[in-house]
Amino acid sequence: MPIEFSFTPDQEAFRDAVRAFLAKEVAPIVAEMDEKEEFPHASVAKMQAEGYFGVPIPEEYGGLGLGKVGYSIFLEELGKVDASHGTIVGAHTSLGTTPLLYYGTEEQKRRWLVPAAKGEKLLAFSLTEPGSGSDSGAVHTVAERSGDRWIVTGNKIYVSNGREADTIVLMAGNDVKLGPNGGVTAFLLDTNLPGFKVGRCEKKMGLHGTSTAELILDHVELGPERVLGEVGKGFHVAMTALDVGRISLGAASLGGMQAATQQALEFSKNRTQFGLPISEYEAIQFKLADMAMKIHALKFMVYHAAAHQDRLGNDPKKWTRLERAEKTREAATVKCLASEWADEVIDEALQIHGGLGYIRGTPIERAYRDARISEIFEGTNEIQRLVVSRDVIARGL
Ligand SMILES: Cc1cc2nc3c(=O)[nH]c(=O)nc-3n(C[C@H](O)[C@H](O)[C@H](O)COP(=O)(O)OP(=O)(O)OC[C@H]3O[C@@H](n4cnc5c(N)ncnc54)[C@H](O)[C@@H]3O)c2cc1C
């Protein structure tokens, strides 16, 4: 695998444009959004209008055509500004548009992917259920055949964008006894269909700008055109989307770590105690060194993984077993280390701020609350270690 990596002038220009846009349109509203715990409809609409909900999607399907590297640049910059917006984009793009791009028929791409990538429709991804979290193949939501149609009944939980989405990539059991090996199918469920209802929306520690919704499905009737990929192969669809989600979570974490470190650095130069700026004390200097080292390492890991996925392309049928295994291990590695390093770095940044870091409404206090979920969603870090260790044992280092 090639290790060297550099950004093209176009990618650098994209980063500059994103940074300017976010400083103008997103940064100013984040504190109020967090305090009011409201979905940021206005800034999301502006991001959609810029094409930022379809960054990695090819232009022929309405996206910006910037691949996973461009998408990681976008999420790194967004991660510096706000994790809620990052989660809204991630749920839509990594988990919503990826399965459509990889597994959709041409007709499905035209009907669902193009408007989603153009920012005209919002997507969500629904795998988790009350009894099925880490054991995500054990779905209890039933998709029963009725002629060539499907009747879907069950309860889903913790769906990011679940309250706002127009369409949900939903995993349901075509044969719950079979579980992940042939028993789960991915469906495209429009939220205006009869029998669909949004239930409870969770109050959360962080990510106050996102909805985390329960979905109630009471005999929702779906036609055959809404089956995404093959019947019984939905678990593969979900896992492939999560491989993209895990590197994009890494990119957003990288941004969050940089913002927190920058804030801590500036604070440490300006805060005087015992007659000196606290940045003069070795205890603070070594914290900053450890933070900078983690950022440096993660940057390479994220962009290496993104470039690797770009090289593999968008057709899962063309990937060899080895390529799949390498991609999945790399995505799990990035997700696990990124989320743990983000928690460590943001925790140290908060510590450098002293009491001020604990005061409600400071950016570092919000970042601390927002970051913790990344060790849990898109597969807990215990599950990432399971994925990596199984592959290490099977294939070696
Ligand atoms: C804010 C938020 C947003 C979310 N967004 C989405 C979304 O958009 N779509 C979606 O489908 N889901 C979403 N989720 C769900 C999320 O992915 C799950 O919460 C997560 O996968 C863990 O499942 P669980 O909560 O049921 O925990 P459990 O699976 O019950 O795990 C509990 C603990 O046991 C550990 N554990 C479980 N099995 C093992 C094992 N075999 N070995 C070792 N340890 C194990 C776990 O690591 C964890 O520490 C979201 C959750 C939250 C909180």
Side-chain angles (χ1 to χ4, degrees):
M1 256 187 262
I3 299 288
E4 262 193 55
F5 186 83
S6 56
F7 295 112
T8 64
D10 282 353
Q11 287 167 339
E12 296 287 10
F14 176 65
R15 186 187 290 280
D16 290 344
V18 167
R19 201 176 280 170
F21 172 88
L22 295 175
K24 181 163 176 267
E25 304 293 356
V26 177
I29 62 109
V30 168
E32 193 181 342
M33 171 209 75
D34 179 63
E35 193 54 36
K36 291 189 172 163
E37 305 198 22
E38 284 173 357
F39 186 92
H41 286 284
S43 51
V44 163
K46 287 176 188 163
M47 287 165 68
Q48 286 173 318
E50 288 294 312
Y52 291 153
F53 276 67
V55 177
I57 304 302
E59 285 169 289
E60 60 175 312
Y61 295 119
L64 296 186
L66 300 178
K68 309 289 189 297
V69 171
Y71 182 44
S72 297
I73 290 170
F74 178 67
L75 282 176
E76 182 187 346
E77 292 306 317
L78 188 52
K80 291 178 189 171
V81 176
D82 180 47
S84 283
H85 284 78
T87 300
I88 294 164
V89 170
H92 168 94
T93 311
S94 308
L95 304 181
T97 61
T98 300
L100 274 161
L101 179 65
Y102 286 0
Y103 295 97
T105 61
E106 195 54 33
E107 203 182 318
Q108 286 173 329
K109 285 178 184 161
R110 295 280 154 222
R111 179 163 170 194
W112 281 286
L113 178 59
V114 171
K118 282 184 170 172
E120 294 161 4
K121 299 279 182 189
L122 186 69
L123 303 182
F125 169 87
S126 175
L127 177 61
T128 306
E129 298 183 1
S132 161
S134 298
D135 186 8
S136 54
V139 298
H140 293 92
T141 294
V142 174
E144 220 174 339
R145 262 194 206 273
S146 169
D148 71 341
R149 302 181 77 73
W150 298 85
I151 310 295
V152 181
T153 301
N155 269 47
K156 293 286 188 181
I157 56 168
Y158 297 163
V159 183
S160 303
N161 296 348
R163 188 180 51 201
E164 296 80 16
D166 299 287
T167 302
I168 295 171
V169 176
L170 180 118
M171 304 302 150
N174 54 288
D175 186 343
V176 291
K177 290 188 304 300
L178 292 178
N181 304 309
V184 180
T185 298
F187 292 94
L188 294 162
L189 182 141
D190 291 340
T191 54
N192 59 5
L193 287 172
F196 173 85
K197 206 164 71 181
V198 175
R200 165 196 163 95
C201 287
E202 304 294 345
K203 283 267 194 192
K204 304 186 292 296
M205 171 181 174
L207 295 187
H208 286 173
T210 70
S211 64
T212 306
E214 177 191 22
L215 310 181
I216 300 163
L217 302 130
D218 181 9
H219 295 84
V220 181
E221 193 178 325
L222 303 177
E225 75 283 2
R226 292 173 180 276
V227 173
L228 183 58
E230 291 175 48
V231 171
K233 296 275 178 69
F235 191 69
H236 297 283
V237 173
M239 293 304 119
T240 311
L242 284 167
D243 279 351
V244 177
R246 288 169 186 169
I247 61 166
S248 59
L249 182 150
S253 299
L254 174 63
M257 286 160 66
Q258 288 173 84
T261 303
Q262 188 61 36
Q263 288 155 21
L265 179 63
E266 280 163 24
F267 183 83
S268 71
K269 287 180 174 172
N270 291 317
R271 175 70 175 166
T272 297
Q273 287 293 279
F274 302 101
L276 285 174
I278 59 170
S279 61
E280 295 294 319
Y281 298 118
E282 198 176 71
I284 302 294
Q285 291 168 349
F286 281 12
K287 283 188 200 302
L288 291 168
D290 286 341
M291 293 152 81
M293 286 190 258
K294 284 173 181 146
I295 289 167
H296 184 80
L298 185 60
K299 204 173 279 182
F300 283 96
M301 287 170 56
V302 164
Y303 286 102
H304 185 273
H308 180 196
Q309 292 201 10
D310 277 342
R311 271 198 311 280
L312 288 181
N314 295 325
D315 184 356
K317 287 197 285 301
K318 292 187 177 153
W319 303 337
T320 65
R321 266 174 90 95
L322 176 64
E323 284 171 340
R324 278 171 195 274
E326 284 177 344
K327 173 173 74 77
T328 296
R329 190 207 288 189
E330 189 173 32
T333 303
V334 168
K335 190 275 180 186
C336 190
L337 287 177
S339 56
E340 290 175 8
W341 287 350
D343 278 341
E344 289 165 18
V345 164
I346 293 167
D347 185 52
E348 286 290 53
L350 189 151
Q351 187 71 16
I352 290 172
H353 281 78
L356 183 63
Y358 197 71
I359 301 302
R360 188 79 188 250
T362 56
I364 197 67
E365 179 265 347
R366 186 179 64 249
Y368 184 83
R369 285 186 283 108
D370 284 349
R372 185 61 180 83
I373 185 61
S374 292
E375 290 195 44
I376 298 168
F377 64 10
E378 308 239 2
T380 66
N381 283 7
E382 288 76 13
I383 296 303
Q384 306 310 314
R385 287 189 163 87
L386 215 109
V387 169
V388 173
S389 62
R390 276 184 188 151
D391 190 59
V392 168
I393 289 163
R395 288 197 305 120
L397 283 176

